[in-house]
């Protein structure tokens, strides 16, 4: 009864909704249109629920991502995830340290071929293992699955493992096994 002219919505029994729209007519009369907007309101409610679920999923994904990053950074093993196209997608600080790579190089997500070329240019590896040669020459990095040892120019020995990932690409792991190799050589010499 105190209608000010603006359209408004009414909630009706049975989870139904109606929008009331007034249009002035000649002689001071007003025409009222009652539009059933039940379907529209239900779609809005579904959209709000979907948006709430998406926000919750995004928050959960951010928490898991932060946990994964913290885990990767605290590992004693170097880790690098290579996409099916041969691009370095994920890496941890330990991988950078073990390979002696500049962070700027990895931050721009290079290909495996670019990393190997960088190592060759700076004399980082004495020869390139069969595993890494295959991995840099294949069209998919998943071609090079296995484990090998790689000697750096400073004598450091790395165990490089590559494991296929379901979505394509490889997970490379790097472990410093220099001390273990020295102990093996010592035992062999003593034997």
């Amino acid at each position: 009864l105190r209608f000010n002219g603006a359209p408004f919505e009414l909630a009706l029994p049975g989870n139904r909704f109606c929008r009331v729209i007034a249009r002035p007519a000649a002689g001071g009369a007003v025409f009222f249109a009652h539009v059933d907007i039940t379907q529209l309101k239900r779609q809005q409610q579904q959209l709000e629920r979907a948006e709430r679920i998406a926000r919750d999923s995004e928050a959960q994904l951010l928490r898991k991502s932060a946990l994964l990053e913290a885990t990767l950074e605290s590992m004693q093993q170097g880790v690098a995830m290579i996409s099916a196209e041969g691009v370095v997608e994920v890496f941890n600080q330990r991988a950078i340290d073990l390979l002696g790579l500049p962070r700027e190089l990895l931050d721009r997500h290079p290909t495996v071929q670019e990393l190997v070329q960088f190592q060759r240019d700076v004399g980082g590896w004495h020869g390139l293992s069969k595993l890494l040669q295959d991995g840099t020459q294949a069209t998919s990095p998943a071609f090079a699955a296995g484990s090998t040892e790689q000697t750096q120019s400073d004598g450091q020995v790395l165990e490089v493992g590559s494991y296929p990932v379901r979505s394509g690409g490889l997970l490379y792991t790097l472990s410093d096994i220099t001390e273990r190799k020295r102990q093996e050589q010592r035992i062999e010499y003593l034997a």
Side-chain angles (χ1 to χ4, degrees):
L1 296 175
R2 295 191 180 105
F3 180 61
N4 64 5
F8 64 95
E9 296 174 1
L10 290 174
L12 302 174
N15 196 24
R16 293 178 51 237
F17 297 88
C18 177
R19 176 172 286 148
V20 179
I21 304 169
R23 293 285 183 246
V30 178
F31 289 97
F32 288 92
H34 296 79
V35 181
D36 185 351
I37 59 168
T38 303
Q39 189 63 29
L40 175 66
K41 291 298 277 187
R42 288 180 183 159
Q43 288 173 345
Q44 285 177 340
Q45 291 168 348
Q46 288 174 343
L47 184 60
E48 288 169 2
R49 276 193 300 272
E51 186 178 353
R52 193 171 39 255
I53 289 169
R55 276 195 309 269
D56 293 345
S57 294
E58 182 180 11
Q60 185 178 14
L61 183 60
L62 287 173
R63 282 192 301 274
K64 286 184 178 184
S65 180
L67 180 61
L68 177 60
E69 283 185 35
T71 302
L72 280 174
E73 291 306 321
S74 65
M75 292 177 67
Q76 291 298 313
Q77 197 173 41
V79 176
M81 179 77 74
I82 312 300
S83 72
E85 294 77 30
V87 175
V88 179
E89 296 290 338
V90 176
F91 56 90
N92 66 355
Q93 184 61 45
R94 183 71 174 147
I96 293 171
D97 296 341
L98 287 173
L99 294 174
L101 297 170
R103 183 165 194 97
E104 306 80 50
L105 175 64
L106 286 173
D107 282 343
R108 63 179 179 84
H109 299 287
T111 63
V112 174
Q113 291 88 348
E114 290 174 301
L115 288 183
V116 170
Q117 188 59 50
F118 176 84
Q119 286 288 346
R120 285 181 177 154
D121 291 346
V122 298
W125 289 337
H126 291 290
L128 194 58
S129 70
K130 176 84 169 103
L131 172 82
L132 290 174
Q133 286 176 17
D134 292 345
T136 61
Q137 294 170 1
T139 55
S140 168
F143 181 84
S147 180
T148 188
E149 294 175 4
Q150 188 65 53
T151 304
Q152 307 250 114
S153 59
D154 62 0
Q156 182 183 35
V157 181
L158 299 179
E159 183 176 58
V160 181
S162 62
Y163 308 93
V165 178
R166 250 186 245 171
S167 60
L170 284 176
L171 172 69
Y172 278 102
T173 60
L174 304 156
S175 302
D176 185 351
I177 59 169
T178 308
E179 190 56 37
R180 184 179 87 193
K181 295 304 280 183
R182 284 187 190 135
Q183 293 298 329
E184 287 174 3
Q185 289 172 348
R186 185 171 181 269
I187 290 169
E188 187 179 316
Y189 173 76
L190 291 174

